[in-house]
Amino acid sequence: MTAELVRGQNHPLPHTRLEIRVSAGHPVLAAATLGDEEGRVAGPEALAHPGAAELPGIEVSRQAAARHRLAVDLEAVRATVHRVSVLLALPLGTGGPTRFGASAAPVVTVTAPDGTAIADYTITGLDLESAVVALELYRRQGAWKVRAVGQGYEGGLAALLADQGLDRAPELAGSVLDAVAQGLARAVPAPAPRAEDAAGRVTEGERAHQAAQTQPVVPPQPPIAPPQPPAAPPPPPAAPGSGGPIDYTHPRRRPAAAEASAQAPAPAGFPTPVAGDASGWTMDERLYNQVWGMFEDLARATAAYRSACNFAESRLDQELDGLLSDPRSRIGGAGDAARAAAKAKHDELTARAQEALDRDLTQLTAESEVVEPALPAAYARWSSPVWQAYRVPMEAPTAVRLGDLHLPERTGLRIPFLARLPLARGLWVDSGRGHSEAATLLDEAELRRLALESAVAHAVRLLAVHPAGSFRVRVIDAAGAGANAFAPLVEAGVLAGPPAAGAAGVSAVLKQVTERVDLLQMAARAGASEDLPPGLDTAEELLIVHDFPHGFDDRSVNQLRYLADEGPAVGTHLLLVADRADAAAYGPVLDPLWRCLTRLTPVPDDHLADPWVGHAWTYEPPVFPAGSAVLRQVLAQLSDSRRQWGP
C-alpha cells in the first residue's frame, strides 16, 4: 500500500534502486543535492541539475517539464553521501507562474523500478515560494528512508542553494537557470483537465487518454552508469561467524566491529541499533550526534503523526459539513451510510498514522535501550553504573547532560537533553511555580529546596566532566539559605572559595568576576592573551547565584546582566537559582537577563518549545538516586584530583 506522506513524515525504503516522479501543472526544473550525514553539500560538484544531470547514483531531467522521472541508485552513491535532497524550482522568464501558490500543488512519488508506488507526497502550503526542497532520502543506521520536507523559499533557487551550504549560490543558481532556458522548448505540456465520473473518480478512458497525451517528448534517459570503484584498500576479512566482510570505512569513522557488542535485538524489520552509529571522529562525538539524531527523529515522527491526525479530523469535519448542507443527506439511510463512510475513512487515516508512529517509536526505543547504557559520564544519568567507575577526565567532552526530554505520545522514551560545551548560554533553575502541574502539588519551601538541589547536581556534573584545574565554581548565597545543599561542595574543597554571603559578599564577588571578564575580553579582542596580568586564572568558571535578587542592589543587578551577556564568550557562566516573581520589582529591566538564560525546572515541566515542529517538550531534571552515594564518590574523586594537580 502506498504511503501518503505529510510534511515531516518519513517512511522506510524497501529498495535502493528507485524512481522519483514529479507531477506539476506547469514546467518546473528538478535537481538534487548530495549531502553528508550533517546535511552539508560539499560544493557544486554535489549538485545534479539540468546542466550537469548525472552524478554517481542520481540522474535528473535535462529540461524543465511538467512531469519528471529521476533515477536513483542508492547503492551507487559515494560512501560519504548520507542524504539526497530532491529540489524543485520554477524557471524564470518563461511566462509561466512565478510562485508555486499560483497553480496546483506539485506531487512527488517514490516508486520501485517496476513502477510500484512506495510513497506519495503532495507539497501543499506553498504560496510565494518559487523553489522548494520536496523530499529527502537519508541513511539511518545503514537503512535508507524517505522524508517529506516541503521547505519552500521565496528567494528562489539561489536562497535554496545558499541554505544547502553552497558557496556563491546566486551564480550557481544562474547557471542552472541558464541551462534550463536552453531546453525549455522541449518541456512537457501540462496535462489536460481530468474527466471524472459521478463519484469523483477519473474514468478509465480519460486515464488512458492522459497516459497517451502526457508521454515525454524526449527519448528516455539512459540508466545510471555504475560508479567507478574508489581507490581504497580492499575490505578486511570477514569476522568469524559473520555473513560477509565488515565495512570499516566511513566518511567520519564508522563504528568499529568491537562496538557492536553493545547491540540489542532489533524489532522485526528494523536494522540492529548500534551505539555510536553516527558521524564523528571520536566515540564521544559520535554518541552526541546519535542522540541528536534520535531527538530529530522523535520530533519529526511525532509531528507527522499529529499532522496526519489533524488532517483526518479536518477531512471528517468537511465531509460532515457537506452532508449537513445537503437536505437530501440529512435524512434516510443514504445520509447514515455517508456519515459512516466518512467516519470509517477518518478511522483508517488515524490508524495508519498510529501504525507509522508506533513503528518509528519502536525503532527509537530499541535504539535508546542500546545507546543509554553506552553513554559516558558526561551524557549518562546519575543512576548509570558508569559513575561507579568515575575518574576525572583528561579532556572536556563534546556536551553535557542537563536532564531528559520526552513527548506525551510515549513518555517512557526519554531523550538525553545535551548542551554543547563550552556553554553558549547561562542556566536558570526556576524555583517558582510557573505553569507546571507538578509544581502546583508542592509548597514553596519544597520547590525552592528541589531547585537548589537541581542546581548542585548541574554544578557537580560540570565539575566532573572537565579536567582538573580547567573549571572552577564560585557561589553567591546572600541569605545563607543554601548552606545545607552547598555543604558537600564546601567539605570536598571543590569551590574556588567559601559561598559569599550578605550584600558585601555579593558586591565583592561580582566585582572580581566582572573585572576578570573585562580583562579576558580586552585580551581576546586585541589578540594579546600573553599580556594578561601574571597569575590571572583563565580557566572556565561557573558562578552559582542562589536566591536572587536577595542581597543585590542596582549596581549588582547590572553587573549580573553584564556577566550573563558577555561572560560565556570568555568562559564565565551563570547558574541562577531564582523565582522570577521575587524580582518583579525590577520590571522589564531584567527581561534581557531571563531571555539570555536557558530555563530549567526542578520538577517535570513542558516549557521547552521546539519551533521547528511546534512541540512542547517535557523536561525532566537530573536527580541523584535515593540513598545513592554517587555525589560523595564523585566529589571525593574531584577532591583527590585537586590535591594532586592543584586547584
PDB file of all heavy atoms in Angstrom, residues 344-358:
ATOM      1  N   ALA A 344     -15.421   6.016   8.828  1.00  0.00           N
ATOM      2  CA  ALA A 344     -14.518   4.899   8.559  1.00  0.00           C
ATOM      3  C   ALA A 344     -13.226   5.389   7.922  1.00  0.00           C
ATOM      4  O   ALA A 344     -12.130   4.902   8.251  1.00  0.00           O
ATOM      5  CB  ALA A 344     -15.216   3.881   7.657  1.00  0.00           C
ATOM      6  N   LYS A 345     -13.329   6.353   7.009  1.00  0.00           N
ATOM      7  CA  LYS A 345     -12.124   6.904   6.392  1.00  0.00           C
ATOM      8  C   LYS A 345     -11.268   7.627   7.429  1.00  0.00           C
ATOM      9  O   LYS A 345     -10.032   7.517   7.426  1.00  0.00           O
ATOM     10  CB  LYS A 345     -12.527   7.874   5.272  1.00  0.00           C
ATOM     11  CG  LYS A 345     -11.340   8.446   4.513  1.00  0.00           C
ATOM     12  CD  LYS A 345     -10.520   7.362   3.838  1.00  0.00           C
ATOM     13  CE  LYS A 345      -9.394   7.954   3.014  1.00  0.00           C
ATOM     14  NZ  LYS A 345      -8.538   6.909   2.406  1.00  0.00           N
ATOM     15  N   HIS A 346     -11.938   8.350   8.330  1.00  0.00           N
ATOM     16  CA  HIS A 346     -11.209   9.023   9.408  1.00  0.00           C
ATOM     17  C   HIS A 346     -10.473   8.009  10.271  1.00  0.00           C
ATOM     18  O   HIS A 346      -9.295   8.181  10.598  1.00  0.00           O
ATOM     19  CB  HIS A 346     -12.196   9.830  10.251  1.00  0.00           C
ATOM     20  CG  HIS A 346     -11.631  10.311  11.556  1.00  0.00           C
ATOM     21  ND1 HIS A 346     -11.688   9.564  12.718  1.00  0.00           N
ATOM     22  CD2 HIS A 346     -10.978  11.454  11.884  1.00  0.00           C
ATOM     23  CE1 HIS A 346     -11.108  10.208  13.693  1.00  0.00           C
ATOM     24  NE2 HIS A 346     -10.665  11.369  13.219  1.00  0.00           N
ATOM     25  N   ASP A 347     -11.165   6.946  10.643  1.00  0.00           N
ATOM     26  CA  ASP A 347     -10.535   5.923  11.480  1.00  0.00           C
ATOM     27  C   ASP A 347      -9.380   5.247  10.752  1.00  0.00           C
ATOM     28  O   ASP A 347      -8.355   4.918  11.357  1.00  0.00           O
ATOM     29  CB  ASP A 347     -11.576   4.884  11.898  1.00  0.00           C
ATOM     30  CG  ASP A 347     -12.640   5.467  12.815  1.00  0.00           C
ATOM     31  OD1 ASP A 347     -12.401   6.552  13.372  1.00  0.00           O
ATOM     32  OD2 ASP A 347     -13.706   4.836  12.960  1.00  0.00           O
ATOM     33  N   GLU A 348      -9.530   5.055   9.439  1.00  0.00           N
ATOM     34  CA  GLU A 348      -8.454   4.429   8.667  1.00  0.00           C
ATOM     35  C   GLU A 348      -7.213   5.318   8.639  1.00  0.00           C
ATOM     36  O   GLU A 348      -6.087   4.848   8.822  1.00  0.00           O
ATOM     37  CB  GLU A 348      -8.929   4.153   7.238  1.00  0.00           C
ATOM     38  CG  GLU A 348      -7.852   3.534   6.356  1.00  0.00           C
ATOM     39  CD  GLU A 348      -8.266   3.458   4.897  1.00  0.00           C
ATOM     40  OE1 GLU A 348      -9.415   3.820   4.585  1.00  0.00           O
ATOM     41  OE2 GLU A 348      -7.428   3.064   4.073  1.00  0.00           O
ATOM     42  N   LEU A 349      -7.429   6.621   8.416  1.00  0.00           N
ATOM     43  CA  LEU A 349      -6.292   7.542   8.367  1.00  0.00           C
ATOM     44  C   LEU A 349      -5.576   7.626   9.710  1.00  0.00           C
ATOM     45  O   LEU A 349      -4.348   7.610   9.772  1.00  0.00           O
ATOM     46  CB  LEU A 349      -6.772   8.929   7.929  1.00  0.00           C
ATOM     47  CG  LEU A 349      -7.251   9.056   6.480  1.00  0.00           C
ATOM     48  CD1 LEU A 349      -7.823  10.448   6.223  1.00  0.00           C
ATOM     49  CD2 LEU A 349      -6.110   8.782   5.508  1.00  0.00           C
ATOM     50  N   THR A 350      -6.344   7.733  10.788  1.00  0.00           N
ATOM     51  CA  THR A 350      -5.703   7.813  12.105  1.00  0.00           C
ATOM     52  C   THR A 350      -5.018   6.502  12.463  1.00  0.00           C
ATOM     53  O   THR A 350      -3.960   6.500  13.102  1.00  0.00           O
ATOM     54  CB  THR A 350      -6.739   8.180  13.173  1.00  0.00           C
ATOM     55  OG1 THR A 350      -7.837   7.259  13.116  1.00  0.00           O
ATOM     56  CG2 THR A 350      -7.260   9.583  12.963  1.00  0.00           C
ATOM     57  N   ALA A 351      -5.604   5.372  12.060  1.00  0.00           N
ATOM     58  CA  ALA A 351      -4.972   4.083  12.343  1.00  0.00           C
ATOM     59  C   ALA A 351      -3.651   3.948  11.597  1.00  0.00           C
ATOM     60  O   ALA A 351      -2.664   3.449  12.143  1.00  0.00           O
ATOM     61  CB  ALA A 351      -5.915   2.942  11.965  1.00  0.00           C
ATOM     62  N   ARG A 352      -3.617   4.415  10.343  1.00  0.00           N
ATOM     63  CA  ARG A 352      -2.368   4.373   9.588  1.00  0.00           C
ATOM     64  C   ARG A 352      -1.326   5.289  10.203  1.00  0.00           C
ATOM     65  O   ARG A 352      -0.135   4.955  10.264  1.00  0.00           O
ATOM     66  CB  ARG A 352      -2.634   4.746   8.133  1.00  0.00           C
ATOM     67  CG  ARG A 352      -3.361   3.658   7.357  1.00  0.00           C
ATOM     68  CD  ARG A 352      -3.915   4.150   6.044  1.00  0.00           C
ATOM     69  NE  ARG A 352      -2.887   4.744   5.194  1.00  0.00           N
ATOM     70  CZ  ARG A 352      -3.135   5.330   4.030  1.00  0.00           C
ATOM     71  NH1 ARG A 352      -4.385   5.391   3.583  1.00  0.00           N
ATOM     72  NH2 ARG A 352      -2.169   5.832   3.316  1.00  0.00           N
ATOM     73  N   ALA A 353      -1.761   6.468  10.672  1.00  0.00           N
ATOM     74  CA  ALA A 353      -0.830   7.381  11.325  1.00  0.00           C
ATOM     75  C   ALA A 353      -0.293   6.770  12.612  1.00  0.00           C
ATOM     76  O   ALA A 353       0.903   6.874  12.916  1.00  0.00           O
ATOM     77  CB  ALA A 353      -1.515   8.715  11.614  1.00  0.00           C
ATOM     78  N   GLN A 354      -1.178   6.123  13.377  1.00  0.00           N
ATOM     79  CA  GLN A 354      -0.738   5.481  14.618  1.00  0.00           C
ATOM     80  C   GLN A 354       0.216   4.334  14.327  1.00  0.00           C
ATOM     81  O   GLN A 354       1.204   4.124  15.047  1.00  0.00           O
ATOM     82  CB  GLN A 354      -1.954   4.970  15.386  1.00  0.00           C
ATOM     83  CG  GLN A 354      -1.630   4.401  16.754  1.00  0.00           C
ATOM     84  CD  GLN A 354      -1.101   5.443  17.706  1.00  0.00           C
ATOM     85  OE1 GLN A 354      -1.746   6.473  17.921  1.00  0.00           O
ATOM     86  NE2 GLN A 354       0.066   5.198  18.285  1.00  0.00           N
ATOM     87  N   GLU A 355      -0.063   3.586  13.266  1.00  0.00           N
ATOM     88  CA  GLU A 355       0.818   2.478  12.892  1.00  0.00           C
ATOM     89  C   GLU A 355       2.214   2.980  12.534  1.00  0.00           C
ATOM     90  O   GLU A 355       3.218   2.404  12.952  1.00  0.00           O
ATOM     91  CB  GLU A 355       0.208   1.720  11.717  1.00  0.00           C
ATOM     92  CG  GLU A 355       1.047   0.545  11.238  1.00  0.00           C
ATOM     93  CD  GLU A 355       0.449  -0.134  10.028  1.00  0.00           C
ATOM     94  OE1 GLU A 355      -0.634   0.297   9.573  1.00  0.00           O
ATOM     95  OE2 GLU A 355       1.066  -1.088   9.516  1.00  0.00           O
ATOM     96  N   ALA A 356       2.257   4.069  11.757  1.00  0.00           N
ATOM     97  CA  ALA A 356       3.563   4.641  11.391  1.00  0.00           C
ATOM     98  C   ALA A 356       4.294   5.168  12.621  1.00  0.00           C
ATOM     99  O   ALA A 356       5.509   4.988  12.766  1.00  0.00           O
ATOM    100  CB  ALA A 356       3.376   5.752  10.363  1.00  0.00           C
ATOM    101  N   LEU A 357       3.545   5.820  13.532  1.00  0.00           N
ATOM    102  CA  LEU A 357       4.176   6.333  14.750  1.00  0.00           C
ATOM    103  C   LEU A 357       4.697   5.189  15.607  1.00  0.00           C
ATOM    104  O   LEU A 357       5.832   5.254  16.117  1.00  0.00           O
ATOM    105  CB  LEU A 357       3.165   7.170  15.535  1.00  0.00           C
ATOM    106  CG  LEU A 357       3.675   7.722  16.871  1.00  0.00           C
ATOM    107  CD1 LEU A 357       4.762   8.752  16.641  1.00  0.00           C
ATOM    108  CD2 LEU A 357       2.536   8.321  17.680  1.00  0.00           C
ATOM    109  N   ASP A 358       3.890   4.148  15.788  1.00  0.00           N
ATOM    110  CA  ASP A 358       4.332   3.010  16.598  1.00  0.00           C
ATOM    111  C   ASP A 358       5.580   2.366  16.012  1.00  0.00           C
ATOM    112  O   ASP A 358       6.493   1.964  16.749  1.00  0.00           O
ATOM    113  CB  ASP A 358       3.213   1.983  16.703  1.00  0.00           C
ATOM    114  CG  ASP A 358       2.044   2.471  17.544  1.00  0.00           C
ATOM    115  OD1 ASP A 358       2.239   3.433  18.309  1.00  0.00           O
ATOM    116  OD2 ASP A 358       0.948   1.898  17.427  1.00  0.00           O
TER     117      ASP A 358
END
